[in-house]
Amino acid sequence: MRIQAAIAVVGLICVGCTTQPASYAGSLNHSDRKWQSAACKEARQKAENYASAETEHLKSSVMIGVLSPSSALAAVNVTNQQNVRRKQFNRDLHLRCSSAPLPGDLTNIPEIQAPPMLDAGRGN
């Protein structure tokens, strides 16, 4: 039980590991030629609303995690997925709004994986 609690704490600490999209949008070069494009404006508007949508998603994920027999592992999985989604969003935002090369942390983003207990492809 202590190990599960420790894993959950580490996972929850890492919730803020990836920059929020609205903050990332603010850090991009506003004088870049892509900054004024329609695609960038749409992406920046979505970035402003990202935090509230993420909070709603987190609430439902936490409820599922609490009901799970391995709630600590579920909490870590939720935070990992949240960080991957933020990185994917930030990568798309960068590609729409900046001509600069992608930063290293946005180049090799893993796909969101199902937790091992739900992975139907395992054991085949």
Side-chain angles (χ1 to χ4, degrees), residues 3-122:
I3 293 172
Q4 288 180 338
I7 291 171
V9 168
V10 169
L12 292 175
I13 288 171
C14 202
V15 167
C17 289
T18 304
T19 306
Q20 283 287 348
S23 297
Y24 187 74
S27 72
L28 294 173
N29 183 358
H30 297 220
S31 62
D32 192 302
R33 61 182 169 78
K34 285 186 169 182
W35 184 260
Q36 295 301 323
S37 70
C40 180
K41 287 178 184 178
E42 180 183 345
R44 290 192 324 252
Q45 190 171 24
K46 286 181 181 177
E48 289 297 322
N49 299 325
Y50 188 88
S52 62
E54 185 179 63
T55 301
E56 289 302 313
H57 182 73
L58 181 62
K59 286 178 187 176
S60 62
S61 297
V62 167
M63 287 306 296
I64 291 170
V66 167
L67 299 174
S68 168
S70 56
S71 58
L73 295 175
V76 170
N77 186 53
V78 166
T79 57
N80 286 339
Q81 287 181 359
Q82 202 171 24
N83 283 329
V84 169
R85 281 190 194 96
R86 282 184 195 167
K87 282 185 179 184
Q88 290 171 339
F89 192 95
N90 287 345
R91 178 189 56 211
D92 294 340
L93 183 68
H94 184 95
L95 293 173
R96 290 180 181 202
C97 297
S98 178
S99 301
L102 279 171
D105 64 331
L106 298 180
T107 53
N108 294 321
I109 303 171
E111 294 298 318
I112 295 178
Q113 302 292 324
M117 62 198 112
L118 299 177
D119 189 359
R122 288 184 73 190

